Amino acid sequence: MTAPAVSISHLRKVYRRGTVAVDDLSMTIAPGDFFGFLGPNGAGKSTTIHCITGIARPTSGKIEIFGIDAVKDYREARRLVGLSPQEFNVDTFAKVTQIIDWMGGYFGLRAPERKARVEMLIDRFELRPHAKKQFRELSGGLKRRVILARALVHDPKLLILDEPTAGVDVELRRDLWRYLQELNRDGKTILLTSHYLEEVERLCRTISIINGGRIVREGPKAEFLASGDLEAAYLAATGAEPDHISGAA
Amino acid sequence: MRIHGDQDLGAPMAPMSINWVGLGTMIRRELSRLMRVPTQAFVAPWISALMFIFVFGFVVGSRIKLIEGQRYISFVLPGILMMNVVNAAFLQSSSQIYFQRFLRYIEEALVAPFSYVEMIVGLLAMTVVRCVITAIGILIIGTAFGATSISGLPEFIFWIVLVSTIFGFLGVIVGLWANNFEQLTMPVIFFITPLSFVGGVFNTVHMLPEWLRWIAWANPFFYFINGVRHSMIGFTEAPEWLGASITVGLATLLAAVVWQLFSRGYGLRE
């Protein structure tokens, strides 16, 4: 039997100052799935992702990546994961090529294969004219592409995208959607968080909604859409009243 | 075009294997960062040493009598060299980890398959390289101007590597702890500079009043400076084994502290 791409059981994360960010969270992502992870700001999405990738230490619970324990066998587990974070965690003075190349090196890719991967990703994400520019010189959309290329340099089986299209224009967003669909077709499992419900509705096959650190609804996209649109299902799951939201606007 | 390559990049890694490519990349990356500021990193300490040679060798030195049979500049220069090594080691490692935390690109290493030991070695390697380059540069300048000599090169390298490792570890601890630039510079102002000045850079222990000599004997800087001075001009005020033991002990203690901090994720992981 194939192990799930991600298996989280009873994950709990309490920060040093006592904030409970994630509380008894369990979820499973099937290999090859395009998984949408939704929730309001502060619901625990990024914390869950940080626990999966090693940026945060889980307080308790178990996380497995393709059957490998992400805490005990963290080095093995991390080789399987690529992360495109919500915030740009980059040396802003480094050049585009360096950023992707260094990450490849961190994951143990030797020079010839690393060079081939970097060149391929630079072309794939149309970064060639910007390859020698420093990260700080790029527009927001180009920065997003660099971050995505960096996440893919070691050809991970699981790609985690934390709000990958935040702050990018419509054209680039559609380009990125196309890239992501292509990646998923090629067999990559994708975990996507986004505040754009249209994006999740268009790309994902399975959706999970988190609120207050707990999963409040999970299932195939079709189930969410059966009773109306995704927005209505989302608002119902998170306890927000549609009228209240429109009134606030 | 597919995003996948044809290579099997997901091949399993042996559990205890060392991520040599990753380590090499860390060092290469830090070298690249350092080469953005070569004047600050390398040229500044060499110019500083040149100024000391000029002042203590030619201006003031000629009016000071021999110290334990040594010219004053020959006596002082090893201490000047060690002060530069200490400062370079501390600034290199503390700023390296602080900026990685500040700009959050430490996360690039956290999500990669590195062990804690590999991360620590990666952080320290460039510190040691920078300090060895700094020290050899000062040694060459000193020798060229007839201000010093070298009586034991392996001993000299031993002291430079060990002392830069100690202050590299201290820099890592402070870099993990600091939340602003003020905190980052505090140890230099209140700890490193004062202790190095009373550690025998400019005087022998016997030149101090008797009631003050314990400060020198209790000050680890005294042993660092004394050790490197012995390797350069062959003059020592303390048994070699004592200085080496204290220094190795201190390096081991700090290595254990840094390893503990990394394994707990202090200042690194949320």
Side-chain angles (χ1 to χ4, degrees):
Chain A
M1 189 180 144
T2 315
V6 179
S7 168
I8 302 177
S9 44
H10 307 293
L11 177 68
R12 183 175 163 82
K13 174 62 188 175
V14 184
Y15 286 110
R16 285 196 181 93
R17 291 182 182 172
T19 308
V20 181
V22 175
D23 193 12
D24 197 26
L25 182 146
S26 296
M27 68 180 191
T28 303
I29 303 175
D33 199 0
F34 205 134
F35 190 93
F37 194 34
L38 302 180
N41 289 327
K45 300 186 297 294
S46 292
T47 298
T48 304
I49 287 171
H50 288 178
C51 288
I52 295 172
T53 54
I55 293 171
R57 295 162 66 91
T59 306
S60 62
K62 188 166 186 178
I63 301 171
E64 286 183 347
I65 313 291
F66 292 99
I68 298 167
D69 193 309
V71 175
K72 283 183 190 155
D73 302 315
Y74 68 96
R75 295 176 73 192
E76 196 57 42
R78 276 174 207 161
R79 294 193 84 211
L80 304 173
V81 184
L83 171 67
S84 166
Q86 188 178 341
E87 290 177 34
F88 297 129
N89 56 356
V90 168
D91 177 357
T92 53
F93 292 95
K95 292 173 185 161
V96 169
T97 315
Q98 288 178 317
I99 291 167
I100 306 170
D101 176 77
W102 287 335
M103 200 57 156
Y106 279 10
F107 277 88
L109 301 191
R110 294 185 182 281
E113 59 183 330
R114 196 169 67 232
K115 190 169 186 301
R117 287 290 296 174
V118 172
E119 291 298 312
M120 187 270 285
L121 289 164
I122 293 266
D123 286 335
R124 182 65 187 85
F125 288 98
E126 294 165 20
L127 289 164
R128 181 67 57 199
H130 314 284
K132 301 293 174 200
K133 287 184 188 167
Q134 291 183 343
F135 188 79
R136 65 196 178 108
E137 296 173 310
L138 304 179
S139 66
L142 287 170
K143 284 176 178 169
R144 278 282 161 215
R145 290 192 214 180
V146 174
I147 295 294
L148 202 52
R150 184 185 67 173
L152 286 163
V153 69
H154 59 294
D155 199 15
K157 286 171 79 176
L158 169 66
L159 181 61
I160 300 178
L161 308 167
D162 196 356
E163 309 215 17
T165 57
V168 303
D169 61 39
V170 176
E171 195 185 345
L172 177 62
R173 187 176 305 157
R174 284 173 193 278
D175 274 351
L176 284 173
W177 287 354
R178 226 178 21 253
Y179 295 151
L180 298 179
Q181 284 172 321
E182 195 180 315
L183 286 168
N184 187 239
R185 268 199 303 274
D186 285 350
K188 289 214 188 304
T189 308
I190 299 179
L191 166 57
L192 169 77
T193 79
S194 177
H195 285 297
Y196 300 112
L197 297 181
E198 179 203 356
E199 182 169 278
V200 175
E201 192 171 327
R202 187 180 181 125
L203 298 174
C204 300
R205 285 194 289 277
T206 312
I207 295 170
S208 184
I209 299 175
I210 183 173
N211 195 22
R214 288 169 178 265
I215 300 292
V216 289
R217 190 171 171 190
E218 189 175 20
K221 179 172 66 182
E223 275 181 19
F224 282 81
L225 300 178
S227 54
D229 62 3
L230 183 57
E231 184 173 328
Y234 173 83
L235 292 172
T238 55
E241 294 294 330
D243 290 341
H244 166 73
I245 299 294
S246 58
Chain B
M1 181 188 281
R2 285 162 61 90
I3 294 290
H4 295 301
D6 292 331
Q7 313 96 323
D8 181 13
L9 302 178
M13 178 189 267
M16 296 302 287
S17 66
I18 296 170
N19 184 358
W20 290 112
V21 178
L23 257 177
T25 304
M26 268 196 188
I27 295 166
R28 198 160 50 88
R29 178 180 192 159
E30 191 50 27
L31 182 65
S32 156
R33 190 180 77 92
L34 209 57
M35 291 321 286
R36 291 180 207 154
V37 286
T39 310
Q40 180 194 319
F42 299 111
V43 180
W46 294 339
I47 290 180
S48 154
L50 208 55
M51 291 298 101
F52 274 106
I53 290 170
F54 176 69
V55 172
F56 289 117
F58 302 109
V59 180
V60 180
S62 57
R63 296 162 193 238
I64 299 175
K65 61 181 182 180
L66 296 179
I67 294 182
E68 308 287 346
Q70 305 286 338
R71 286 188 304 140
Y72 192 57
I73 183 60
S74 301
F75 178 82
V76 167
L77 196 63
I80 303 293
L81 182 146
M82 192 48 93
M83 280 171 71
N84 275 296
V85 165
V86 164
N87 275 312
F90 181 81
L91 291 174
Q92 169 69 28
S93 63
S94 62
S95 64
Q96 185 181 348
I97 199 154
Y98 179 77
F99 279 106
Q100 286 189 19
R101 287 176 60 225
F102 186 71
L103 295 172
R104 297 189 64 169
Y105 63 92
I106 187 79
E107 290 175 7
E108 292 183 334
L110 294 178
V111 301
F114 283 119
S115 68
Y116 302 128
V117 173
E118 285 164 354
M119 287 180 76
I120 295 166
V121 171
L123 275 165
L124 279 185
M126 204 56 225
T127 299
V128 173
V129 170
R130 175 176 169 174
C131 290
V132 169
I133 293 171
T134 301
I136 289 179
I138 295 173
L139 180 66
I140 290 169
I141 291 168
T143 310
F145 283 90
T148 192
S149 55
I150 184 81
S151 78
L153 189 61
E155 190 188 355
F156 178 79
I157 298 291
F158 167 85
W159 283 105
I160 300 304
V161 169
L162 212 58
V163 172
S164 57
T165 303
I166 286 174
F167 286 90
F169 281 137
L170 270 178
V172 168
I173 294 167
V174 172
L176 289 173
W177 163 76
N179 283 316
N180 54 53
F181 290 103
E182 184 84 341
Q183 290 176 340
L184 201 63
T185 53
M186 258 185 215
V188 176
I189 298 164
F190 294 109
F191 172 66
I192 292 176
T193 306
L195 280 181
S196 57
F197 268 83
V198 297
V201 176
F202 301 103
N203 55 275
T204 63
V205 175
H206 295 289
M207 290 164 82
L208 294 170
E210 203 161 333
W211 62 272
L212 255 180
R213 288 178 191 169
W214 68 270
I215 291 180
W217 297 117
N219 180 358
F221 281 74
F222 164 75
Y223 299 97
F224 307 152
I225 293 165
N226 186 66
V228 84
R229 184 175 282 142
H230 182 257
S231 75
M232 290 169 76
I233 60 173
F235 173 73
T236 183
E237 291 185 272
E240 283 297 288
W241 65 266
L242 179 63
S245 305
I246 288 171
T247 310
V248 170
L250 201 54
T252 309
L253 176 71
L254 288 168
V257 171
V258 169
W259 188 84
Q260 267 294 316
L261 294 177
F262 268 71
S263 58
R264 287 181 189 180
Y266 176 81
L268 292 169
R269 299 184 200 279
E270 294 164 358

